[in-house]
Amino acid sequence: SSEIIKMGCSAFAIVLSGGRAELKSSVSRVFYSEFRATLLMGIPGGIYLLQNYLFFVGLTHLSATLYQVSKQLAIVTTAIVWIFWLHKRISVEKWLSILAVLVGVSIVSIEGDVGVHGNFFIGLSAVVMACFLSSIASVYTEAQIKTVSFTIWER
């Protein structure tokens, strides 16, 4: 439902910026000329679907506090995926910041989670896997946006 609203708003923005002919051209390009690129942009959607399921598994097995702290690992995992996939370099200050996040999460997680009757290992594993999936989807989306010539409204 929200995606349909987004699509309608994007179509409206295209019509405002270029008229109906521009809308027809955009639809033709997205669904026919660049169909492979359109399909490739759907990959992060599937990854995010699995990620959200894993976050729910994590929340089921962890307290809300540990869950929220553990989700901060997404910063660390995104940096790792970003560096290896896009071959980027980061400064020493950023590495120190990432290390601080990692130490903070480790300190909170080291005692386990005594407030919930779920399985700590399952919960933490689900959150870590979800963080990696989120990182992969984010970096993949960045790489696709840089290589595909869609306008912001067509994306």
Side-chain angles (χ1 to χ4, degrees), residues 2 5 17 23 25 38 50-51 57 60 69 71 73 94 109 115 120 126 131 140 145-148 152 154:
S2 66
I5 293 170
S17 66
L23 177 62
S25 171
T38 301
L50 181 57
Q51 170 224 308
V57 170
T60 302
V69 170
K71 275 186 70 173
L73 286 172
K94 289 179 183 175
S109 302
F120 173 76
C131 288
Y140 176 85
I145 287 173
K146 288 180 178 179
T147 60
V148 175
I152 189 70
E154 292 170 337

Side-chain angles (χ1 to χ4, degrees), residues 36-145:
R36 182 176 184 275
T38 301
L39 287 178
L40 289 176
M41 288 302 288
I43 290 172
I47 294 172
Y48 284 129
L49 177 74
L50 181 57
Q51 170 224 308
N52 286 336
Y53 173 75
L54 289 171
F55 276 144
F56 278 115
V57 170
L59 189 54
T60 302
H61 289 278
L62 301 173
S63 68
T65 303
L66 186 57
Y67 168 77
Q68 281 297 101
V69 170
S70 299
K71 275 186 70 173
Q72 300 311 307
L73 286 172
I75 296 168
V76 177
T77 58
T78 302
I80 291 168
V81 171
W82 192 68
I83 289 166
F84 285 108
W85 193 335
L86 299 179
H87 307 289
K88 300 286 185 171
R89 294 185 183 266
I90 60 174
S91 66
V92 173
E93 294 86 9
K94 289 179 183 175
W95 273 117
L96 291 173
S97 300
I98 291 168
L99 182 63
V101 170
L102 191 58
V103 168
V105 171
S106 299
I107 289 171
V108 171
S109 302
I110 199 123
E111 294 179 14
D113 198 6
V114 295
V116 172
H117 299 292
N119 186 317
F120 173 76
F121 180 74
I122 291 173
L124 193 59
S125 297
V127 171
V128 170
M129 285 190 291
C131 288
F132 266 108
L133 287 174
S134 174
S135 302
I136 290 167
S138 298
V139 174
Y140 176 85
T141 300
E142 179 181 345
Q144 283 297 312
I145 287 173

Side-chain angles (χ1 to χ4, degrees), residues 7 10 14 22-41 148-155:
M7 189 171 61
S10 295
I14 292 170
E22 181 65 26
L23 177 62
K24 184 178 179 182
S25 171
S26 290
V27 169
S28 173
R29 189 163 69 110
V30 168
F31 289 108
Y32 300 111
S33 306
E34 302 277 345
F35 187 68
R36 182 176 184 275
T38 301
L39 287 178
L40 289 176
M41 288 302 288
V148 175
S149 62
F150 290 153
T151 68
I152 189 70
W153 302 113
E154 292 170 337
R155 288 187 193 129

